[in-house]
Each structure stands twice: as C-alpha cells, then as structure tokens.
C-alpha cells in the first residue's frame, strides 16, 4: 500500500483565522446582535450538522443524494471525459463519490475545505478508493481567491452541493459565483445544489426538528463562547428560533433571550432584553428561475437543471461564458 503522503497532493492555504472573539464583540456591538454562521462549525457543531443531515425533517441532504444517483449519468454525459472536478467545502467527500462513479475517466479531484484534519482524512480515503484519480487537497477559505492546479485534458467543473450557497446573502452569492465563473471561463462548468422555495411548513419543520438537534446546533454557539471566550451564558435562559421570512425568501435563525439579562464575554458585559435576538444564520431559498437569473448575472449560462418529483431541491449545471 502506498504511504499516505504519496496518495494525495496537499496544500495548506488557510488564511490566518478570523478571531472568534473579534467577530463576537463586533457582532454584539450592532443594533441587531449577530454572530457569523461560519462559527457554528466547531468540532461539536460539525458533528451536530452531520446529525441534522440524517433527520427525517431535513430533506435537503437525502433529496440531493437521490438526485445525484438518479441523474448522474446525464450529468456525466454533459461533463465528458477526463474532467478536473473541484469541490468547494468538500467535508467528508461523500456526495462526490456518486458523481465520480458515473464520470468517464475523471482526471483529477480537487477537494477544498477549511477543516484541515477532515480534509486530509477524506482526501486520502478517496485516493485509496479511486487509484486512477489525481487527488489534490487544498486547505483554504473558498470564498476568497486561491490558486488552483492547472486544468487537465477535460472540462474543469466546480462542484458545490448542499445548498451552502443559501447561507450567503444574494449579493454574496452573486459575488462568489462571479469569481467561480472567472475561474471556469473557457469551457468550464459548475454543478451546484440549491434548495428550492416551497410550502413554509416544510421549511419550518426542517429547521425546527422534533428531536431538537437544530436547536442544539444553534445554541452550541453559546457553549463555544463560554468555553473559548470565557463567556457566562446560561443556556436555559435562551431558546432557538427559526422561521421562514416570506418577503425575503429565507429561513432566519436566531438565539432568543428568554428574559432580561446581562452576559459577559471576555470580561465585557452585554445587556439583552427579554425577547431580544442574536442573529446566527440565514438560509436563502430560490425558485429555479430566480437561481438561473442569479447565475446569469454572475457570468454563467444556465444549462441543465434537475429537480426531484416533489420540487424540494435542485441541482443546476451552469456553463461559464
Ligand atoms: C449548511 N447549510 C446549507 C445548512 C442549511 O440548511 O442552510 C445549515 C443548517 N442550519 C440549520 N440547519 C441546517
């Protein structure tokens, strides 16, 4: 068996970490208190998110997997042989295997993720299972520009599943897609998973699951502040709040204070009124046409789109101009 270091090419391009403390102090200083959603994903938060993906109410993961399984031959036909597949936020590199199994002699897989340990483990495991594939792992923040290996003989394809694009504001999404379109220009394409607008009761259930896993995922931010920033949040004095904002087409997620209270973070005191909310995440939902327009504005030519029979989730193939 090849030694691990010979199986993959690894590049550490991780930016100096934005300090959690700075983000919390800055966010708590705003009229609408907020914490950027990327801080939800510490070790425990990532584990809880994996649990969310298995919940009966959380349809996106299984619906997207089913779409990939059902239509991957069409996707592979549109992509052609020897492609270079670049996955943003590759995590455990699970979904990409469905695609790799259908592709015609894929040339290279470039996994990009900010979580170094998971990235390396998953890339090595994948390289062992796909010995013909060149596997490159890049530890980077994919929302910023970073160098990629040169394209190969086939199409360069960016893979961005999971509707993570929904956690960006529409303006951020357009900016991110425009950067991708630039990277992929000259014949490249993007395959991206996008959660669809639907009956709000389905969305409400997906973000307010009956086991309370999403609540734990959200409130874990306070546990993280207590542990890492010397916070004194009493979790019993807060609750998870998630609802669909119809006008803005998004699920909004907050931590709500159940009473008037003062909390400390790194020796600084903050007042919270009863019912006051800390904004922790948005999850934007798009109709197929809305997303195609967004992609077009970003420099892509929308090509095929695959949607499940219940109209829950979409996978778009976008061609770069
Ligand atoms: C990662 N992201 C696509 C998830 C979503 O559905 O917006 C994050 C999430 N937050 C609560 N549940 C899931």
């Amino acid at each position: 068996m090849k030694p691990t270091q010979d199986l993959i090419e690894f590049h550490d391009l991780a930016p100096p970490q934005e300090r959690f403390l700075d983000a919390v102090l800055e966010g708590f200083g705003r009229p609408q208190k907020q914490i950027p959603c990327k801080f939800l994903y510490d070790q425990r938060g990532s584990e809880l998110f994996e649990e969310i993906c298995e919940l009966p109410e959380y349809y996106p993961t299984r619906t997207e997997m089913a779409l990939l399984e059902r239509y991957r031959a069409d996707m592979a036909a549109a992509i052609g042989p020897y492609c270079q597949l670049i996955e943003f936020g590759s995590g455990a590199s699970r979904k990409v295997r469905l695609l790799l199994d259908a592709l015609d002699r894929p040339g290279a897989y470039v996994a990009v993720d900010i979580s170094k340990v998971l990235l390396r483990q998953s890339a090595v495991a994948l390289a062992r299972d796909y010995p013909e594939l060149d596997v490159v792992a890049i530890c980077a923040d994919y929302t910023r520009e970073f160098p990629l290996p040169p394209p190969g003989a086939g199409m360069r394809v960016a893979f961005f599943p999971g509707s993570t694009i929904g956690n960006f504001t529409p303006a951020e999404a357009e900016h991110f897609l425009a950067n991708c379109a630039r990277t992929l220009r000259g014949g490249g394409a993007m395959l991206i998973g996008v959660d669809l607008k639907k009956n709000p009761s389905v969305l409400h259930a997906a973000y307010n699951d009956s086991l309370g896993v999403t609540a734990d995922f959200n409130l874990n931010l306070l546990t993280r502040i207590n542990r890492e920033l010397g916070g004194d949040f009493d979790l019993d004095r807060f609750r998870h709040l998630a609802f669909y904002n119809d006008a803005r087409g998004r699920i909004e997620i907050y931590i709500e204070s159940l009473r008037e209270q003062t909390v400390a973070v790194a020796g600084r005191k903050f007042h919270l009124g009863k019912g006051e909310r800390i904004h922790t995440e948005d999850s934007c939902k798009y109709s197929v046409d809305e997303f195609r327009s967004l992609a077009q504005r970003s420099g892509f030519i929308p090509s095929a789109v695959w949607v499940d029979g219940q109209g829950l989730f979409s996978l778009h193939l976008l061609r770069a101009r």
Side-chain angles (χ1 to χ4, degrees):
M1 200 188 271
K2 274 192 190 175
T4 300
Q5 67 272 19
D6 294 344
L7 280 169
I8 65 164
E9 194 180 310
F10 190 89
H11 299 276
D12 189 354
L13 308 177
Q17 259 197 351
E18 188 191 330
R19 289 186 53 208
F20 186 32
L21 176 63
D22 296 341
V24 172
L25 294 182
E26 199 271 319
F28 277 17
R30 295 187 182 203
Q32 167 61 75
K33 290 188 178 55
Q34 64 160 72
I35 303 172
C37 66
K38 64 178 168 190
F39 293 108
L40 287 163
Y41 299 88
D42 64 350
Q43 169 85 20
R44 181 70 188 133
S46 302
E47 285 164 12
L48 286 165
F49 181 63
E50 290 298 311
E51 275 184 50
I52 289 175
C53 292
E54 305 288 325
L55 291 168
E57 296 101 325
Y58 194 74
Y59 59 86
T61 312
R62 62 169 177 280
T63 310
E64 187 178 46
M65 298 275 269
L67 279 175
L68 279 168
E69 267 190 74
R70 180 155 184 194
Y71 297 112
R72 59 187 165 169
D74 299 347
M75 296 169 191
I79 290 170
Y82 312 118
C83 77
Q84 180 194 57
L85 197 57
I86 303 161
E87 182 172 8
F88 295 122
S90 51
S93 291
R94 206 173 307 130
K95 289 173 187 164
V96 77
R97 288 168 177 259
L98 293 172
L99 202 55
L100 285 170
D101 291 343
L103 286 167
D104 180 10
R105 290 159 288 167
Y109 171 59
V110 183
V112 186
D113 207 285
I114 196 68
S115 168
K116 207 172 294 179
V117 177
L118 181 64
L119 173 68
R120 194 188 286 277
Q121 279 171 357
S122 313
V124 166
L126 193 123
R128 286 202 201 286
D129 293 342
Y130 297 83
E132 302 300 316
L133 197 65
D134 282 343
V135 179
V136 180
I138 302 180
C139 182
D141 173 355
Y142 60 79
T143 62
R144 301 177 190 184
E145 284 195 42
F146 61 92
L148 281 167
M155 189 187 278
R156 182 180 247 185
V157 181
F159 183 47
F160 194 38
S163 199
T164 304
I165 193 77
N167 299 128
F168 297 1
T169 66
E172 287 166 351
E174 195 170 323
H175 180 75
F176 172 71
L177 290 176
N179 280 343
C180 293
R182 249 196 316 281
T183 306
L184 298 165
R185 70 177 164 238
M190 183 160 195
L191 183 61
I192 179 166
V194 183
D195 197 14
L196 292 171
K197 284 193 166 145
K198 57 184 62 66
N199 187 328
S201 65
V202 177
L203 289 168
H204 185 89
Y207 293 87
N208 292 279
D209 63 277
S210 55
L211 288 176
V213 183
T214 309
D216 289 350
F217 170 70
N218 192 18
L219 293 167
N220 176 57
L221 259 176
L222 301 186
T223 309
R224 184 173 180 188
I225 293 177
N226 286 350
R227 187 183 59 243
E228 294 183 24
L229 309 180
D232 68 353
F233 285 91
D234 176 349
L235 269 67
D236 291 337
R237 296 179 174 187
F238 293 89
R239 71 166 181 139
H240 160 77
L241 182 70
F243 57 84
Y244 186 64
N245 180 331
D246 196 33
R248 309 194 80 156
R250 68 188 191 197
I251 283 283
E252 296 183 4
I253 304 181
Y254 298 89
I255 293 172
E256 188 178 77
S257 174
L258 293 172
R259 57 163 84 169
E260 182 160 357
Q261 55 185 316
T262 300
V263 293
V265 179
R268 295 259 305 264
K269 294 218 181 302
F270 294 94
H271 176 263
L272 283 153
K274 184 175 178 189
E276 188 175 344
R277 297 166 183 179
I278 303 166
H279 188 200
T280 53
E281 193 179 46
D282 285 329
S283 191
C284 297
K285 311 301 171 188
Y286 294 92
S287 70
V288 165
D289 287 344
E290 280 169 346
F291 191 74
R292 284 168 71 92
S293 302
L294 175 65
Q296 208 153 14
R297 287 199 297 280
S298 313
F300 280 106
I301 302 164
S303 178
V305 53
W306 296 274
V307 176
D308 60 287
Q310 289 175 273
L312 295 173
F313 201 90
S314 58
L315 266 165
H316 293 250
L317 186 70
L318 312 172
R319 294 194 183 274
R321 291 215 182 95

